[in-house]
Amino acid sequence: MSAQERGSISGTITNRSGAGVPGMDLLITHKRMNVSRTAATNAAGFYTVGELITDRYTISAEAKGFKRAEQAALYARCRARLASTYNCRLVT
């Protein structure tokens, strides 16, 4: 049995002014297998999720006071880091 290749997805969650949003809850879902992992942004709004099977993922982000954001069709690649930035809006 051979080991599966792994990759990672990382990025920053920002508000409309471009400032990082800390404490956003993330749900990273492997689309084909429908398996999810959770993560959260740090004080600067940055997140990283490693050891992902090389394939397509959907990421959703939410926190109290912010509208839920979702990005589909992200692809984690072996020995590569996929960076993405979300712009989350305050719920009014």
Side-chain angles (χ1 to χ4, degrees):
M1 182 177 206
S2 63
Q4 286 190 306
E5 295 181 341
R6 303 286 176 151
S8 65
I9 296 174
S10 61
T12 304
I13 308 287
T14 61
N15 61 23
R16 283 186 173 176
S17 67
V21 180
M24 292 290 285
D25 294 319
L26 303 168
L27 184 66
I28 300 91
T29 304
H30 184 272
K31 293 182 66 78
R32 190 171 44 83
M33 297 176 75
N34 198 31
V35 175
S36 298
R37 290 183 48 192
T38 59
T41 58
N42 66 14
F46 179 79
Y47 68 90
T48 187
V49 181
E51 293 301 311
L52 297 171
I53 296 169
T54 302
D55 211 342
R56 292 180 187 263
Y57 291 83
T58 298
I59 297 180
S60 61
E62 59 187 328
K64 186 175 181 175
F66 285 87
K67 185 176 179 180
R68 185 173 189 253
E70 187 170 299
Q71 186 171 356
L74 295 174
Y75 195 82
R77 294 186 182 97
C78 178
R79 294 182 297 275
R81 292 182 184 232
L82 176 66
S84 60
T85 300
Y86 293 100
N87 189 342
C88 294
R89 293 179 286 151
L90 284 171
V91 176
T92 56

Short mmCIF file of all heavy atoms in Angstrom, two decimals, residues 3-9 50-57 75-82:
data_model
loop_
_atom_site.label_atom_id
_atom_site.label_comp_id
_atom_site.label_asym_id
_atom_site.label_seq_id
_atom_site.Cartn_x
_atom_site.Cartn_y
_atom_site.Cartn_z
N ALA A 3 1.71 5.37 0.24
CA ALA A 3 1.22 6.53 0.98
C ALA A 3 0.59 7.53 0.03
O ALA A 3 1.05 7.71 -1.10
CB ALA A 3 2.38 7.18 1.72
N GLN A 4 -0.49 8.15 0.48
CA GLN A 4 -1.14 9.16 -0.35
C GLN A 4 -0.39 10.48 -0.25
O GLN A 4 0.13 10.83 0.81
CB GLN A 4 -2.58 9.37 0.09
CG GLN A 4 -3.50 8.25 -0.31
CD GLN A 4 -4.94 8.62 -0.05
OE1 GLN A 4 -5.29 9.01 1.05
NE2 GLN A 4 -5.76 8.50 -1.07
N GLU A 5 -0.35 11.21 -1.36
CA GLU A 5 0.27 12.52 -1.35
C GLU A 5 -0.61 13.48 -0.57
O GLU A 5 -1.83 13.38 -0.57
CB GLU A 5 0.47 13.01 -2.78
CG GLU A 5 1.44 12.15 -3.55
CD GLU A 5 1.66 12.65 -4.97
OE1 GLU A 5 0.83 13.42 -5.47
OE2 GLU A 5 2.66 12.25 -5.55
N ARG A 6 0.03 14.43 0.10
CA ARG A 6 -0.69 15.38 0.95
C ARG A 6 -0.33 16.81 0.56
O ARG A 6 0.74 17.08 0.04
CB ARG A 6 -0.33 15.17 2.43
CG ARG A 6 -0.58 13.78 2.95
CD ARG A 6 -2.04 13.53 3.13
NE ARG A 6 -2.28 12.14 3.55
CZ ARG A 6 -3.29 11.78 4.29
NH1 ARG A 6 -4.15 12.67 4.72
NH2 ARG A 6 -3.46 10.52 4.60
N GLY A 7 -1.25 17.71 0.82
CA GLY A 7 -1.04 19.12 0.56
C GLY A 7 -1.62 19.94 1.70
O GLY A 7 -2.03 19.40 2.72
N SER A 8 -1.67 21.25 1.52
CA SER A 8 -2.24 22.12 2.54
C SER A 8 -2.95 23.29 1.88
O SER A 8 -2.72 23.61 0.72
CB SER A 8 -1.15 22.63 3.49
OG SER A 8 -0.25 23.45 2.80
N ILE A 9 -3.84 23.89 2.63
CA ILE A 9 -4.55 25.09 2.21
C ILE A 9 -4.37 26.12 3.31
O ILE A 9 -4.54 25.81 4.49
CB ILE A 9 -6.06 24.82 1.98
CG1 ILE A 9 -6.26 23.82 0.85
CG2 ILE A 9 -6.79 26.12 1.70
CD1 ILE A 9 -7.69 23.37 0.65
N GLY A 50 -3.10 21.56 7.14
CA GLY A 50 -2.16 20.69 6.46
C GLY A 50 -2.60 19.25 6.44
O GLY A 50 -3.66 18.89 6.95
N GLU A 51 -1.76 18.43 5.84
CA GLU A 51 -2.00 16.99 5.76
C GLU A 51 -3.33 16.66 5.09
O GLU A 51 -4.05 15.75 5.51
CB GLU A 51 -1.90 16.33 7.13
CG GLU A 51 -0.51 16.36 7.71
CD GLU A 51 0.51 15.65 6.83
OE1 GLU A 51 0.25 14.51 6.41
OE2 GLU A 51 1.57 16.25 6.57
N LEU A 52 -3.67 17.40 4.04
CA LEU A 52 -4.89 17.14 3.28
C LEU A 52 -4.57 16.24 2.10
O LEU A 52 -3.56 16.43 1.42
CB LEU A 52 -5.48 18.45 2.76
CG LEU A 52 -5.94 19.45 3.82
CD1 LEU A 52 -6.31 20.77 3.17
CD2 LEU A 52 -7.11 18.89 4.60
N ILE A 53 -5.42 15.27 1.85
CA ILE A 53 -5.27 14.43 0.67
C ILE A 53 -5.37 15.33 -0.56
O ILE A 53 -6.21 16.22 -0.63
CB ILE A 53 -6.38 13.36 0.64
CG1 ILE A 53 -6.24 12.42 1.83
CG2 ILE A 53 -6.36 12.59 -0.67
CD1 ILE A 53 -7.42 11.51 2.02
N THR A 54 -4.51 15.13 -1.52
CA THR A 54 -4.50 15.94 -2.73
C THR A 54 -5.82 15.74 -3.48
O THR A 54 -6.08 14.66 -3.99
CB THR A 54 -3.32 15.56 -3.63
OG1 THR A 54 -2.12 15.73 -2.88
CG2 THR A 54 -3.26 16.40 -4.87
N ASP A 55 -6.66 16.79 -3.47
CA ASP A 55 -7.98 16.73 -4.11
C ASP A 55 -8.67 18.08 -3.94
O ASP A 55 -8.07 19.04 -3.45
CB ASP A 55 -8.83 15.61 -3.49
CG ASP A 55 -9.80 14.99 -4.48
OD1 ASP A 55 -10.08 15.62 -5.52
OD2 ASP A 55 -10.29 13.89 -4.21
N ARG A 56 -9.95 18.13 -4.29
CA ARG A 56 -10.74 19.36 -4.20
C ARG A 56 -11.40 19.51 -2.84
O ARG A 56 -11.87 18.53 -2.26
CB ARG A 56 -11.82 19.39 -5.27
CG ARG A 56 -11.26 19.51 -6.65
CD ARG A 56 -12.40 19.52 -7.67
NE ARG A 56 -11.87 19.46 -9.00
CZ ARG A 56 -11.68 20.53 -9.77
NH1 ARG A 56 -12.02 21.71 -9.34
NH2 ARG A 56 -11.19 20.39 -10.97
N TYR A 57 -11.49 20.77 -2.37
CA TYR A 57 -12.08 21.09 -1.08
C TYR A 57 -12.98 22.32 -1.18
O TYR A 57 -12.79 23.16 -2.05
CB TYR A 57 -10.98 21.37 -0.04
CG TYR A 57 -10.20 20.14 0.33
CD1 TYR A 57 -9.14 19.71 -0.46
CD2 TYR A 57 -10.55 19.39 1.43
CE1 TYR A 57 -8.44 18.56 -0.15
CE2 TYR A 57 -9.85 18.23 1.75
CZ TYR A 57 -8.80 17.83 0.96
OH TYR A 57 -8.12 16.69 1.26
N TYR A 75 -8.09 23.40 -4.48
CA TYR A 75 -7.39 22.15 -4.75
C TYR A 75 -6.11 22.09 -3.95
O TYR A 75 -5.22 22.91 -4.14
CB TYR A 75 -7.08 22.04 -6.25
CG TYR A 75 -6.71 20.65 -6.67
CD1 TYR A 75 -7.69 19.70 -6.94
CD2 TYR A 75 -5.38 20.28 -6.78
CE1 TYR A 75 -7.35 18.42 -7.32
CE2 TYR A 75 -5.03 19.00 -7.17
CZ TYR A 75 -6.02 18.07 -7.43
OH TYR A 75 -5.69 16.81 -7.81
N ALA A 76 -6.03 21.16 -3.01
CA ALA A 76 -4.80 20.94 -2.24
C ALA A 76 -3.88 20.06 -3.07
O ALA A 76 -4.28 19.00 -3.54
CB ALA A 76 -5.12 20.28 -0.91
N ARG A 77 -2.65 20.50 -3.26
CA ARG A 77 -1.69 19.75 -4.06
C ARG A 77 -0.53 19.28 -3.19
O ARG A 77 -0.16 19.93 -2.23
CB ARG A 77 -1.14 20.64 -5.18
CG ARG A 77 -2.17 21.03 -6.18
CD ARG A 77 -1.53 21.79 -7.34
NE ARG A 77 -2.55 22.19 -8.28
CZ ARG A 77 -3.09 23.39 -8.30
NH1 ARG A 77 -2.71 24.31 -7.45
NH2 ARG A 77 -4.01 23.69 -9.19
N CYS A 78 0.07 18.20 -3.60
CA CYS A 78 1.23 17.66 -2.90
C CYS A 78 2.36 18.68 -2.87
O CYS A 78 2.68 19.29 -3.89
CB CYS A 78 1.69 16.38 -3.60
SG CYS A 78 3.16 15.66 -2.87
N ARG A 79 2.92 18.87 -1.70
CA ARG A 79 4.06 19.77 -1.50
C ARG A 79 3.80 21.19 -2.01
O ARG A 79 4.71 21.91 -2.36
CB ARG A 79 5.32 19.20 -2.14
CG ARG A 79 5.79 17.93 -1.45
CD ARG A 79 7.06 17.40 -2.07
NE ARG A 79 6.90 17.01 -3.46
CZ ARG A 79 6.45 15.84 -3.89
NH1 ARG A 79 6.09 14.94 -3.05
NH2 ARG A 79 6.37 15.58 -5.18
N ALA A 80 2.54 21.59 -2.06
CA ALA A 80 2.20 22.95 -2.48
C ALA A 80 1.25 23.54 -1.46
O ALA A 80 0.49 22.83 -0.83
CB ALA A 80 1.55 22.94 -3.86
N ARG A 81 1.30 24.83 -1.32
CA ARG A 81 0.37 25.51 -0.43
C ARG A 81 -0.54 26.39 -1.27
O ARG A 81 -0.06 27.17 -2.08
CB ARG A 81 1.11 26.36 0.58
CG ARG A 81 1.87 25.52 1.56
CD ARG A 81 2.55 26.38 2.58
NE ARG A 81 3.33 25.54 3.43
CZ ARG A 81 3.25 25.56 4.75
NH1 ARG A 81 2.45 26.38 5.34
NH2 ARG A 81 3.99 24.75 5.46
N LEU A 82 -1.81 26.24 -1.06
CA LEU A 82 -2.79 27.03 -1.78
C LEU A 82 -3.19 28.18 -0.86
O LEU A 82 -3.67 27.94 0.24
CB LEU A 82 -4.01 26.18 -2.13
CG LEU A 82 -5.15 26.92 -2.80
CD1 LEU A 82 -4.70 27.42 -4.18
CD2 LEU A 82 -6.34 26.01 -2.95
#
